[in-house]
Amino acid sequence: MKKLITLLFTGFMISATSAQWNPNTDQNLSVVNYENASSFASTTNDGKTYIAFWKKVAAPTNFELWLQILDQNGDKLLGTDGIMLSNQIPMGTYTVVENTAVDSSNNLYIGVTGTGTGTPLRIFKISPQGTSLWPNGINAGEGYSPEILPLSNGDIVVGNLATTQVQMRVQRYNGSGQPVWANPISIASDDPTKTTAPADFFELPNNEIALLFHKKVSSGTTSYLFAQKIDFNGNILWSDGPIQVSTKSLGYNVKYSGVVDGDVVYFGYSTGQNNRFDSYLQRINFADGNKPWGVDGVDFDINQTNFEKNMRIAFSSGSPYIWAVCNYTTTSQGMGGEYVQKFDKNTGSRLFTDNAKQVFPITAEFMTHSGDLHLSDGKPYFVVEKRINTALLPTSLNAVLLTDSGDFAWTQQYIPMATFNASKSFLTVLKPINNQAVIVFNEKKTADAVPAVYAQNLVLPAASLGTRDIVKSQSIKLYPNPATDVIHLDGADNSNFVIYNAVGQLVKSGEIKKGEIAVQELVKGQYILKLKGEDKAIKFIKK
């Protein structure tokens, strides 16, 4: 235990140096505080956070595309307000779905659609230093729903729902933004007269690419999912036509969840077919085009009592398992909860029984995940929204980590990350890097005239100092608890101390004077006190 706590505290000291992360989860870190339409974020493999957003401006420009980068400490690398990437995109009075991707060199790619004349599709490339490598973006034709796949050779593949043709258009671009193929290729479903749109792309071995895409079957959003395989030269490899991934109806404008393992793609999806919400995991063997788990894949839960919605999956290379989480609701959708499932990646067997495993019960608090599922050291990490006072809005955002058996890794079950009494939107839950997780979201706080962009970090190892590791010391007594201005420590001499908040940030340190520590400057919440020479930490509450 002593070694564990020493390592944790070493990590805390490093993360706290010159940090701009805000330890107050009511306030969070303000990224942008002027009017914006939406924000979208990605992370780098060294822990930086890209945050792009649409800034609302006067007509006829309407919207400008801006970018900010946060380093691991929450410092803004592109000035107070970020940098403008472009004000040359023809924009109407609204924005539509964007897409981002980060390559192995940590370059950011942003795909956006201009909602003005011609609906142009622009792709931007930004270096980790914030340099716009393709100024004002390269012209990738016209259309919506851009999908960007960075390739291992430094190129990218871009697909989109075209507005001037029925079939999805796909093109490869080199590192300079030049098209590699003489012409974009068109991807058709089993019915070439139906509109197709990208769902997800994956790089396969042997310079091949898996394309998952939607076939639209109505004037609305209803679609069916298909798959096709191409090579790096733009050749369509399944000349007999694509395979249908599922017979269940989906929505072409919904982002689903997929992972790749060699030449196998696992795809998690939720369907509302026949007025019932169910979730499935499908396996597609791209080596031979087989679907060994049947026409629709395996059900998250064979129980037909509750609705299963918003399925998200995650996978670690070399693992024998696919993890998944689902929002559960009653059929009236008046109450919600969260369940987890673990699949054998070879057989599709459900390892948490045929009815999944409850994380949070179905209640009026609606403890359900938002954003993606990730794995931290192979364990499921996600963020749940919790209704405040069981009202529909507002909500708080709370981090959850599970063990290999699907139980809570933290005795306190979840750690609050955003607790201000307001509704949240445009949430991005980023993959934890070096044991630090980051979320980005929009919210209107008391001082905001309009919803603004905020970010919050969470040092995951801090949760290891949960209540199972924090026990009452036989030699040291802390009081009062909860505390207001001062905490008293009987049995502690004038030793050094450190105090961390609930998200693992160092908020105070110093030397105990006459057995007392002043805490009046701390905001309300839970804290962890560590004394020099003590193996155990002590938890207290500031009221």
Side-chain angles (χ1 to χ4, degrees):
M1 176 59 70
K2 184 174 182 179
K3 181 178 180 181
L4 170 62
I5 293 178
T6 300
L7 290 173
L8 292 174
F9 276 74
T10 300
F12 291 166
M13 295 296 288
I14 292 171
S15 68
T17 303
S18 302
Q20 296 300 312
W21 293 116
N22 192 333
N24 189 331
T25 57
D26 267 2
Q27 296 175 356
N28 309 112
L29 170 62
S30 176
V31 179
V32 177
N33 58 11
Y34 42 70
E35 189 170 6
N36 61 90
S38 62
S39 62
F40 33 104
S42 291
T43 191
T44 64
N45 60 26
D46 60 356
K48 295 187 182 70
T49 302
Y50 285 113
I51 303 174
F53 54 94
W54 289 108
K55 180 181 178 182
K56 296 187 72 172
V57 295
T61 302
N62 294 318
F63 292 97
E64 298 170 344
L65 184 62
W66 282 64
L67 177 73
Q68 180 61 272
I69 303 176
L70 305 179
D71 69 11
Q72 300 91 328
N73 298 317
D75 291 311
K76 295 179 179 180
L77 301 184
L78 302 181
T80 302
D81 298 323
I83 60 170
M84 183 177 67
L85 295 177
S86 180
N87 61 0
Q88 302 298 310
I89 306 170
M91 296 297 295
T93 57
Y94 62 96
T95 64
V96 292
V97 175
E98 315 85 2
N99 194 14
T100 61
V102 176
D103 65 20
S104 59
S105 298
N106 287 326
N107 297 301
L108 172 70
Y109 300 88
I110 305 173
V112 298
T113 294
T115 56
T117 303
T119 59
L121 181 66
R122 299 282 178 83
I123 308 297
F124 294 80
K125 180 180 181 180
I126 302 96
S127 75
Q129 294 74 39
T131 302
S132 182
L133 301 176
W134 300 343
N136 283 312
I138 59 172
N139 185 351
E142 36 62 44
Y144 299 96
S145 304
E147 182 66 25
I148 304 171
L149 172 67
L151 299 176
S152 56
N153 67 356
D155 293 356
I156 63 170
V157 168
V158 177
N160 71 286
L161 167 63
T163 56
T164 57
Q165 67 181 55
V166 171
Q167 296 169 3
M168 175 178 76
R169 185 170 44 220
V170 180
Q171 176 61 281
R172 175 180 160 192
Y173 298 90
N174 63 23
S176 300
Q178 299 299 313
V180 174
W181 304 331
N183 295 292
I185 60 174
S186 298
I187 304 298
S189 68
D190 57 346
D191 182 348
T193 68
K194 297 292 186 182
T195 298
T196 52
D200 219 338
F201 297 168
F202 302 93
E203 182 173 349
L204 304 172
N206 303 316
N207 293 332
E208 296 175 344
I209 301 167
L211 305 178
L212 273 71
F213 63 96
H214 297 274
K215 174 180 104 173
K216 290 185 63 179
V217 293
S218 72
S219 58
T221 62
T222 304
S223 67
Y224 290 106
L225 192 65
F226 282 77
Q228 179 59 272
K229 185 166 71 167
I230 64 174
D231 64 19
F232 275 24
N233 295 319
N235 298 309
I236 294 176
L237 300 182
W238 288 347
S239 57
D240 292 338
I243 63 171
Q244 187 166 350
V245 174
S246 171
T247 63
K248 305 292 185 180
S249 59
L250 305 180
Y252 84 88
N253 60 337
V254 176
K255 185 65 177 177
Y256 297 96
S257 186
V259 298
V260 64
D261 181 23
D263 57 7
V264 176
V265 169
Y266 299 91
F267 202 77
Y269 65 93
S270 300
T271 173
Q273 186 168 294
N274 298 325
N275 296 316
R276 173 172 176 80
F277 292 97
D278 282 299
S279 295
Y280 297 85
L281 177 65
Q282 180 60 288
R283 171 178 169 150
I284 309 107
N285 295 346
F286 274 84
D288 56 14
N290 278 335
K291 297 184 298 178
W293 295 352
V295 293
D296 298 319
V298 292
D299 199 341
F300 182 90
D301 172 1
I302 65 172
N303 194 327
Q304 296 292 297
T305 303
N306 299 307
F307 285 172
E308 310 155 20
K309 305 168 67 176
N310 193 24
M311 183 179 184
R312 288 293 181 266
I313 69 171
F315 168 73
S316 290
S317 179
S319 170
Y321 309 116
I322 306 293
W323 284 92
V325 291
C326 262
N327 300 161
Y328 271 41
T329 71
T330 55
T331 54
S332 66
Q333 302 184 64
M335 295 191 296
E338 188 74 14
Y339 278 65
V340 63
Q341 185 61 274
K342 188 177 181 180
F343 296 91
D344 184 301
K345 76 173 185 180
N346 294 312
T347 66
S349 297
R350 291 176 287 266
L351 302 181
F352 289 158
T353 79
D354 285 339
N355 303 125
K357 185 168 187 173
Q358 176 184 290
V359 180
F360 294 105
I362 300 173
T363 67
E365 282 189 321
F366 246 89
M367 293 282 284
T368 55
H369 80 265
S370 290
D372 288 329
L373 171 68
H374 299 289
L375 298 181
S376 177
D377 292 329
K379 297 175 175 56
Y381 160 80
F382 53 97
V383 170
V384 296
E385 286 197 75
K386 177 184 178 183
R387 290 183 178 178
I388 299 175
N389 299 322
T390 69
L392 178 60
L393 295 171
T395 61
S396 64
L397 300 175
N398 308 274
V400 177
L401 185 71
L402 302 181
T403 66
D404 291 333
S405 58
D407 298 316
F408 289 112
W410 304 320
T411 306
Q412 64 269 47
Q413 297 187 357
Y414 59 89
I415 297 179
M417 296 185 74
T419 53
F420 183 74
N421 193 348
S423 59
K424 279 74 172 170
S425 60
F426 303 110
L427 170 66
T428 305
V429 179
L430 298 173
K431 178 180 175 63
I433 302 294
N434 298 327
N435 290 320
Q436 177 169 262
V438 174
I439 60 172
V440 178
F441 59 97
N442 286 31
E443 178 178 68
K444 183 179 178 182
K445 297 185 187 289
T446 302
D448 297 329
V450 294
V453 182
Y454 290 91
Q456 183 62 56
N457 75 319
L458 170 65
V459 182
L460 291 179
S464 296
L465 295 175
T467 55
R468 70 180 62 180
D469 295 321
I470 302 171
V471 299
K472 293 181 179 179
S473 172
Q474 297 299 315
S475 58
I476 298 175
K477 180 181 179 181
L478 182 152
Y479 66 92
N481 192 5
T484 303
D485 298 316
V486 175
I487 56 175
H488 300 269
L489 293 153
D490 286 352
D493 56 15
N494 294 343
S495 63
N496 293 329
F497 72 88
V498 287
I499 297 176
Y500 299 93
N501 65 10
V503 294
Q505 297 168 330
L506 177 67
V507 294
K508 188 178 179 71
S509 63
E511 184 179 352
I512 300 171
K513 300 295 185 182
K514 297 180 180 179
E516 295 181 352
I517 300 175
V519 294
Q520 67 267 23
E521 75 276 20
L522 300 182
V523 299
K524 295 179 180 179
Q526 292 188 3
Y527 292 89
I528 295 169
L529 170 68
K530 178 72 173 65
L531 306 180
K532 182 179 180 180
E534 285 289 314
D535 288 344
K536 303 293 184 182
I538 306 171
K539 183 168 70 175
F540 70 94
I541 297 172
K542 167 69 189 308
K543 66 179 181 179

